[in-house]
């Protein structure tokens, strides 16, 4: 932005607007889509954790609620798979992810999740 200000003040305004638009697209569209594919967090669990930790720990609890829930879900998945040897929960979530991916138009030419 400092470089844009040194050239023209209008250009600096455009740079700030572009930065805000890119940040909003990344924060509200791209990152949640990637997180949904990587860690299958139910929305009700996420909202519940945010409400509970927000009430208990305030703003810091609200900020840390989703990462803590994601860590708990991942630890639970690793424990269930590695220690107990049950791979059905991961297979079910993988099948759901593939089905939602195919429904959204990303399943290839045939539209089916498995080719």
């Amino acid at each position: 932005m400092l470089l844009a200000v040194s050239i023209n003040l209008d250009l600096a305004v455009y740079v700030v607007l572009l930065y805000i638009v890119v940040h909003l697209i990344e924060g509200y569209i791209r990152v949640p889509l990637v997180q949904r594919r990587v860690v299958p967090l139910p929305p009700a669990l996420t909202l519940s954790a945010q409400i509970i930790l927000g009430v208990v720990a305030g703003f810091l609890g609200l900020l840390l609620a989703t990462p803590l829930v994601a860590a708990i879900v991942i630890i639970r998945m690793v424990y269930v798979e590695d220690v107990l040897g049950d791979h059905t929960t991961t297979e079910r979530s993988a099948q759901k992810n593939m089905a939602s991916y195919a429904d959204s138009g990303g399943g290839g030419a045939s539209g089916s999740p498995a080719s």
Side-chain angles (χ1 to χ4, degrees):
M1 186 179 90
L2 291 175
L3 185 62
V5 168
S6 70
I7 296 172
N8 188 355
L9 191 58
D10 292 338
L11 188 60
V13 172
Y14 292 136
V15 167
V16 169
L17 290 175
L18 178 67
Y19 176 79
I20 290 171
V21 167
V22 169
H23 180 70
L24 289 175
I25 289 172
E26 179 185 10
Y28 289 111
I29 297 173
R30 193 182 68 102
V31 171
L33 288 174
V34 170
Q35 287 177 343
R36 181 176 56 177
R37 300 243 188 256
V38 174
V39 179
L41 284 178
L45 180 63
T46 304
L47 288 173
S48 300
Q50 288 176 345
I51 290 170
I52 292 169
L53 286 175
V55 169
V56 171
F59 185 70
L60 184 62
L62 184 62
L63 285 177
L64 295 176
T66 304
L68 285 174
V69 170
I72 291 169
V73 168
I74 290 174
I75 290 169
R76 186 181 145 264
M77 286 174 44
V78 168
Y79 174 76
V80 168
E81 287 179 0
D82 291 344
V83 176
L84 300 179
D86 186 12
H87 297 283
T88 57
T89 51
T90 304
E91 291 171 5
R92 282 188 207 131
S93 65
Q95 289 172 353
K96 285 181 188 177
N97 286 340
M98 289 301 290
S100 67
Y101 181 68
D103 290 342
S104 67
S110 65
S112 64
S115 299

